[in-house]
Amino acid sequence: MFGNYLIGLREGLEASLVVCILVAYLVKTERRDALRPVWLGIGIACGLSLVFGAMLEFGTQELTFEAQELLGGSLSIISVGLVTWMVFWMKRTARHLKAELHGKLDTALAMGTGALVATAFLAVGREGLETALFVWASVRASGEGSSAPLIGVLLGIATAIVLGYLFYRGALKINLAKFFRWTGGMLVVVAAGVLAYGVHDLQEARFLGGLNDRAFDISGAIPPDSWYGTLLKGVFNFQPDPTVLQLAVWALYLVPVLALFLVDQSRPAGKKQSSDATPVSSR
């Protein structure tokens, strides 16, 4: 549940920040007339994300077992690629996100209503589609048949909405660089588990071999149905009896990606930019 809460919180906060930056900029520049097309674009993006998530959940139920596993494994790997790209992209752009969005919005204002709708749609839609795909893959990996992962995601999104509102009102200052640094590192760990689970899906679909080649089996020490086994699976997608290929892929992803993320973060940052913790209050 915690892993999925983290996904909902981080992805939801990214979308919330985008929304409040766009809205605050229009209010400050006295362009309230442009708020309606912006909210329209945001609404379309949210609706499309929900439809995409529903298609992932219900569109695979009529497939054969092997087809489900092949599709699920493939989408899990794609989602890991997207979330990895997102983690590094946000780490680089967190300090300049506001200026970047203001520039796009200025261009859209000059082009008209359609451009405003498209700008808001693209800014929020990317986050929504990434969230839907990664949440679907993570829920498959950490809690099939359980409502806990979905509850975790919804709680994370709800928290993000509250934080976004406080951020907009100027009641909360967030150091975006630090926030995305810590949550990014934790998401890399979660993504490693989703990747390993995706490989297991492909093995069950007989697309990859080695399904019966276990790296180890500690089910006796950590029973999957115990509270701590459930906790480990929910947070890290831990499996007590992974295959050799699963373990290898997990390590080959986690070690270099996390090292690259942390080493880059440890470089001297020089003089901090004030935009790291600048509120976007409309007042």
Side-chain angles (χ1 to χ4, degrees):
M1 184 173 178
F2 174 76
N4 291 283
Y5 174 82
L6 175 64
I7 296 168
L9 174 62
R10 183 189 167 97
E11 295 292 309
L13 187 57
E14 285 186 31
S16 295
L17 291 176
V18 167
V19 170
C20 69
I21 288 171
L22 292 177
V23 171
Y25 184 66
L26 291 175
V27 172
K28 281 184 176 181
T29 55
E30 298 184 355
R31 289 299 309 269
R32 293 178 180 270
D33 59 300
L35 286 174
R36 182 173 294 181
V38 166
W39 282 116
L40 177 61
I42 292 168
I44 294 173
C46 293
L48 180 62
S49 300
L50 291 173
V51 170
F52 181 58
M55 290 174 59
L56 290 173
E57 177 62 25
F58 301 110
T60 60
Q61 293 183 358
E62 301 300 322
L63 300 175
T64 64
F65 172 77
E66 289 188 354
Q68 287 183 15
E69 297 305 293
L70 179 61
L71 179 62
S74 301
L75 291 179
S76 294
I77 293 172
I78 291 172
S79 72
V80 169
L82 287 174
V83 82
T84 303
W85 171 82
M86 175 271 297
V87 164
F88 281 92
W89 177 83
M90 182 53 71
K91 183 189 68 174
R92 293 193 305 270
T93 60
R95 293 174 177 171
H96 313 290
L97 181 63
K98 184 161 62 174
E100 181 180 332
L101 287 172
H102 286 178
K104 291 181 179 179
L105 195 53
D106 283 335
T107 303
L109 285 168
M111 295 178 65
T113 301
L116 284 171
V117 175
T119 298
F121 171 78
L122 293 174
V124 177
R126 179 180 63 84
E127 305 293 343
L129 293 177
E130 284 181 0
T131 302
L133 180 56
F134 194 62
V135 164
W136 180 80
S138 182
V139 168
R140 275 177 54 89
S142 64
E144 292 185 7
S146 170
S147 60
L150 182 58
I151 293 173
V153 171
L154 294 176
L155 288 175
I157 293 175
T159 304
I161 292 173
V162 172
L163 291 177
Y165 176 76
L166 294 175
F167 192 62
Y168 171 77
R169 299 301 300 176
L172 178 68
K173 292 185 178 181
I174 301 175
N175 188 309
L176 297 181
K178 286 186 177 181
F179 174 83
F180 289 118
R181 179 185 310 160
W182 286 102
T183 57
M186 289 187 285
L187 264 188
V188 168
V189 177
V190 173
V194 173
L195 179 60
Y197 189 86
V199 169
H200 186 263
D201 277 351
L202 295 180
Q203 289 179 307
E204 289 194 324
R206 299 183 181 179
F207 183 79
L208 296 175
L211 181 61
N212 297 317
D213 298 331
R214 300 293 173 184
F216 53 80
D217 188 348
I218 54 175
S219 301
I222 307 178
D225 57 351
S226 64
W227 69 267
Y228 46 92
T230 302
L231 179 64
L232 288 172
K233 185 166 183 63
V235 176
F236 302 111
N237 294 311
F238 172 79
Q239 184 177 336
D241 57 344
T243 65
V244 173
L245 183 58
Q246 274 186 280
L247 184 62
V249 169
W250 177 84
L252 288 173
Y253 170 84
L254 180 63
V255 174
V257 172
L258 191 58
L260 181 62
F261 185 83
L262 295 177
V263 167
D264 192 51
Q265 290 291 352
S266 66
R267 292 175 182 173
K271 187 177 180 180
K272 280 193 173 182
Q273 299 189 24
S274 60
S275 57
D276 278 9
T278 301
V280 292
S281 172
S282 60
R283 294 176 297 177

